[in-house]
Amino acid sequence: EIALTQSPGTLSLSPGERATLSCRASQGVSSRYLAWYQQKPGQAPRLLIYDASSRATGIPDRFSGSGSGTDFTLTISRLEPEDFAVYYCQQYGSSPLTFGQGTKVEIK
Amino acid sequence: QVQLVQSGPEVKKPGASVKVSCKASGYTFTNYIITWVRQAPGQGLEWMGWISAYNGNTNYAQNFQDRVTLTRDTSTSTAYMEVRSLRSDDTAVYYCARDSQSWGQKLVFDVWGQGTLVTVSS
């Protein structure tokens, strides 16, 4: 089973700032099969990024993903008020599917 | 529009079973895999398993393969998740979600149900 470790646990930033979130895998994720989701309180997760760097339909271009192997990054170039949420990475290169424990992006 | 609508909240006693439904609309149900993910209060996401809406094939996470059964009814475009022998640590919001790729197995999920809170308490 591939374990995903996200860092930091909490990121305190102001609107307009850049957010950089990390997701590290315990072993290589094949074919860059890594996704990122956003979750707001009381809501279901929302797909942002798949295949490490492809934006899902309707996702603004301020969200970008990068990485390969064991190290992946989600970058939000300029935080908007609606971007303050919890972000999860998920690998789908091998079974079982696994999620990271999440990074909370909060308003500073 | 494409959506998944889940059944309402449940309160169960330890040892009981619960069956949660997930009704699909706005797309061809049998073209996609449906997965189930749960989230304990204040915790992260935990994958439980998936079912092919086309042929009913399933794949379960090891933690759930003895107590969870995934089924589907193509006549009503509804997927079901049943958990048996409930324990207090099964208290969670249970989500169904659709694979983003039709006729495939990408296992990235672009449409989610609203979630169903299952509370297990004596």
Side-chain angles (χ1 to χ4, degrees), chain B residues 38-69:
Chain B
R38 78 176 184 180
Q39 186 170 38
Q43 302 301 309
L45 303 170
E46 182 178 23
W47 176 68
M48 301 177 68
W50 57 255
I51 181 168
S52 164
Y54 172 66
N55 58 18
N57 285 351
T58 54
N59 183 17
Y60 296 97
Q62 189 165 10
N63 287 350
F64 298 101
Q65 60 187 11
D66 292 336
R67 294 194 300 128
V68 171
T69 301

Side-chain angles (χ1 to χ4, degrees), chain B residues 9-62:
Chain B
E10 303 265 10
V11 179
K12 296 291 183 181
K13 294 191 182 302
S17 299
V18 68
K19 193 170 186 177
V20 177
S21 68
C22 170
K23 184 171 177 59
S25 62
Y27 73 95
T28 302
F29 178 67
T30 50
N31 287 5
Y32 291 84
I33 278 173
I34 294 286
T35 199
W36 291 85
V37 172
R38 78 176 184 180
Q39 186 170 38
Q43 302 301 309
L45 303 170
E46 182 178 23
W47 176 68
M48 301 177 68
W50 57 255
I51 181 168
S52 164
Y54 172 66
N55 58 18
N57 285 351
T58 54
N59 183 17
Y60 296 97
Q62 189 165 10

Side-chain angles (χ1 to χ4, degrees), chain A residues 6-7 13 21-22 25 47 53 55 63-64 66-68 72 81 88-89 98-99 102 107:
Chain A
Q6 293 186 238
S7 61
L13 295 168
L21 287 66
S22 173
L47 177 66
S53 59
R55 271 187 300 276
F63 291 92
S64 63
S66 63
S68 63
F72 298 87
Y88 294 96
C89 56
T98 49
F99 291 90
I107 299 176

Side-chain angles (χ1 to χ4, degrees), chain A residues 1-105:
Chain A
E1 172 174 327
I2 296 178
L4 299 178
T5 302
Q6 293 186 238
S7 61
T10 302
L11 200 50
S12 298
L13 295 168
S14 301
E17 291 195 293
R18 181 184 189 90
T20 303
L21 287 66
S22 173
C23 176
R24 177 161 290 176
S26 60
Q27 54 189 282
V29 176
S30 63
S31 304
R32 304 176 78 227
Y33 284 161
L34 189 108
W36 290 91
Y37 298 85
Q38 176 194 68
Q39 187 179 35
K40 297 179 181 179
Q43 295 185 17
R46 173 194 182 198
L47 177 66
L48 300 175
I49 300 286
Y50 63 95
D51 293 348
S53 59
S54 298
R55 271 187 300 276
T57 303
I59 301 304
D61 61 7
R62 64 180 181 273
F63 291 92
S64 63
S66 63
S68 63
T70 59
D71 290 298
F72 298 87
T73 301
L74 174 69
T75 301
I76 310 170
S77 59
R78 296 170 310 280
L79 282 164
E80 297 287 341
E82 61 268 28
D83 299 336
F84 292 92
V86 179
Y87 293 82
Y88 294 96
C89 56
Q90 175 223 331
Q91 68 81 24
Y92 47 102
S94 65
S95 189
L97 308 183
T98 49
F99 291 90
Q101 83 280 15
T103 289
K104 181 179 182 180
V105 179

